[in-house]
Amino acid sequence: MKVTEKNLIIGGVTIEPGEVKDVALFIAKQYDFTEIHMPVKVIRGTAEGPYLFICAAVHGDEVNGVEVIKRLSQHKALQNIKGTLILVPIVNAFGFNALSRYMPDRRDLNRCFPGNIHGSLSSRLAHLFVTEIVDKCTHGIDLHSGSHHRTNLPQIRACLFNKETIDIARAFNVPVILDAQVIEGSLRKVAFGKKMPLLVYEAGESLRYDEVAIQSGLHGVLSVMHALSMIEHKEKKQKKVRSIVAKGNFWIRSPHSGIVIVKKKLGTIVHPGELLGIISDPLGNNNIEIRAEKEGLIIGYTLLPLVNRGDAVFHIATFERTQLIEKSLEAFNDDKFDYEER
Ligand SMILES: [Zn+2]
């Protein structure tokens, strides 16, 4: 670990133990020569502890995580933390300002890590984020939402390579954990290479606020901080959700192009043969059914009613024991997130 307790410098700004500082990390100038920055808040406790970064909007249009960090940064639980918390609400500032998932060079930033200081604009931004933030941390949480008109049930994706990662994934307190594969160029791959526990939280859809996604995300990051002994704060009236690691996950793709009506809700357990959706032509003729082939839980689906043949329509997670996931979904749905936010 490069980091030491005394020496934390981000964007040329030194942050001492006990200090809270906002840093604007310079990314680049725009066409009109105005500067674009990555906003960062660093909160350092006086006591030793983990260095945790929480980031959002690596995909610029995934705004639920931005709101999670905004609410977290004002939360009273952060008044006396152990260790260091680094909040980066908007990593892809270009995409965020353009309401776009991508960078101006049309790249997906989450395929450009760890980046290169001499590379493309996306590669340089990735390099900045890795060298200024990730390299200075021991743990990370990356907040995302569904892309391309799809929405996700709150879920954790992580490379479950060690016990600590499994423990904090469970601490996040959402029903489903996917033991995700490492994707080339992703932030997760950088963390995996460093043996750093990193959670990816997926919830809701892009360009829309979803209160369940936001509140469960806020609760999740606070629970992880609690599990890492960074805060003492305990949520009020919070039910413990037993998180279940999925056995597998797969997409059900559209068998035909047309207009799709989805017949099941997010978070529904489906059984073989059950009707999931109907595709028809614009006059309502030629109905084509989409039926479940296996038992599983709907963890994501398309909100766009127009599909081409082969488009991903339902994301299904499968489990060893369906009764367990049923119970944890019940606990999650019963939770009204009735706690003080700040
Ligand atoms: Zn994303």
Side-chain angles (χ1 to χ4, degrees), residues 59 62 101 144-145 202:
H59 294 128
E62 296 176 8
R101 173 180 178 83
H144 286 256
S145 293
E202 278 281 358

Side-chain angles (χ1 to χ4, degrees), residues 105 107 112 115-127:
D105 58 12
R107 287 181 170 88
C112 296
N116 184 327
I117 199 166
H118 302 297
S120 66
L121 178 64
S122 299
S123 186
R124 289 174 193 222
L125 201 165
H127 178 265

